[in-house]
Amino acid sequence: MDSHSTITEKLWRLCTFASFIVILIIFLSQNHDGTDIVVLQSLLSMANEQFPEPKNVSQILQSPPSLSPPQFPMANEQFSEPKNLSEIVPPPNCSPHQFSMSDWQSSKAKTVLYNEMEKEGCNIFEGKWVYDPKASPLYDAARCPFLSDQVSCQRNGRPDSEHEKWRWEPKGCQITRFNIGKKMLKRLRGKRVIIVGDSINRNQWESLACLLYSSTSPRKAHVQVERSDYKVFKSKAHNCLVEFYWSPFLVQLETNQANTGKRILRLNQISSFAQNWLGADVMVFNSGHWWEHGKDIRAWDLLEYEGKLFEDMEITSAVEAALKTWASWIDENVDKSKTRVFFRSISPEHKDAFSCINQTEPSKDNDATPFPKPIREAVERTIEGMSTPVKYLNISELSQYRRDGHPSFYARKQSSRPDCSHWCLPGVPDTWNRLLYASIILGSTRNVSSPSDASSPS
């Protein structure tokens, strides 16, 4: 009787252990993050107390590094609102000096998909648009009540939504497609992102803010959008900030000159907002469209360069002077080992004869309104000459095919003029943020080479 009981017990133990092996194999065949692996390890550990594993099985899983549980604030914890821009500081535990580049590139960061991106010849900014309603859009705009009218095309009555269902597919490599908001929140835990520039960069900020906001509980996030020159998304659960600063020239524009009554663009003086850029972990800049405004609508009356005032100046020279001021500020104030710096290329407009009116799908041709090549080249020369590594987010060509993505007459509920400059959300800027996330994972590079079509605006 005892012998029979012993045999039965051994068979039962053997079957149970075999079941755990099957579960393990199935689990490892799926795509799970580090938290799931820790949970599975705990289960296996409990099992091993009764069913010791063979040595070759115990080597299947290794503990991922630094997987301490996140510390969530209390539900009633609030972020204090800055009374003015000089009071804006990173939240507690959000100083960039607490991080190193290794924090950005943990062993979990470079998954199989991102390893593909490191293949020689893989350029995530070259590829094609693929209709993929399963993967796009990345979020529901209705979950983001803070989105401005300018980007809320569906809310303003746009009758079609097919423009939301196209996904960018890089040539020769893949980038993550699903749960991008949650993945970004994990990556940005304890960090601060600033997006600086014109209304197109504000468009990108709204995209990123909605992507993150819709990926967490509204009780654990706060969005401040009342001001036109400063906006912020705050995640309480992840202790991070994503801010937007209005600065279309990146240098100082004085609009209330008591002595002259003139608006002066000071080419040798960085924007007054710059004191608030300090300490960010990720910086995304742009400048371009405002330099090309005609004399009737341009933002300045006088240009100041090296202490002298000019009523007129060759635009490319003015752009180069302003960018040199910006580059010097970056090189002098940014810690290369702590902060990632990005510069987004020119977002294309579609203001030609075909315009963006009644467009419902991507163009087959690269047909955007050309942007002056000298300004694009001035940006590229500036980046090349900097001591701080700056990643050039070259979104120009991939966006040129998307004349269907503009608000057109739906930038507000009743509009008589089409907007073929900004972008509907969800939409094209979501792809810019996917590529920004991919670039953060992969690390900085000084590659500012343009697509093969040198005549394309960048």
Side-chain angles (χ1 to χ4, degrees), residues 239-275:
N239 191 31
C240 74
L241 290 177
V242 180
E243 300 168 276
F244 167 75
Y245 291 92
W246 170 262
S247 185
F249 303 106
L250 304 179
V251 292
Q252 182 65 10
L253 176 63
E254 302 284 0
T255 57
N256 295 303
Q257 291 297 295
N259 295 334
T260 64
K262 301 287 187 178
R263 300 166 300 171
I264 301 177
L265 185 60
R266 304 187 187 280
L267 301 177
N268 302 123
Q269 182 179 337
I270 195 67
S271 168
S272 59
F273 283 121
Q275 61 179 330

Side-chain angles (χ1 to χ4, degrees), residues 264-302:
I264 301 177
L265 185 60
R266 304 187 187 280
L267 301 177
N268 302 123
Q269 182 179 337
I270 195 67
S271 168
S272 59
F273 283 121
Q275 61 179 330
N276 306 112
W277 306 344
L278 292 170
D281 299 282
V282 179
M283 298 177 168
V284 183
F285 297 92
N286 93 295
S287 185
H289 288 295
W290 278 61
W291 293 101
E292 278 297 295
H293 288 175
K295 290 187 177 181
D296 293 338
I297 60 172
R298 68 185 184 185
W300 69 86
D301 299 307
L302 298 171

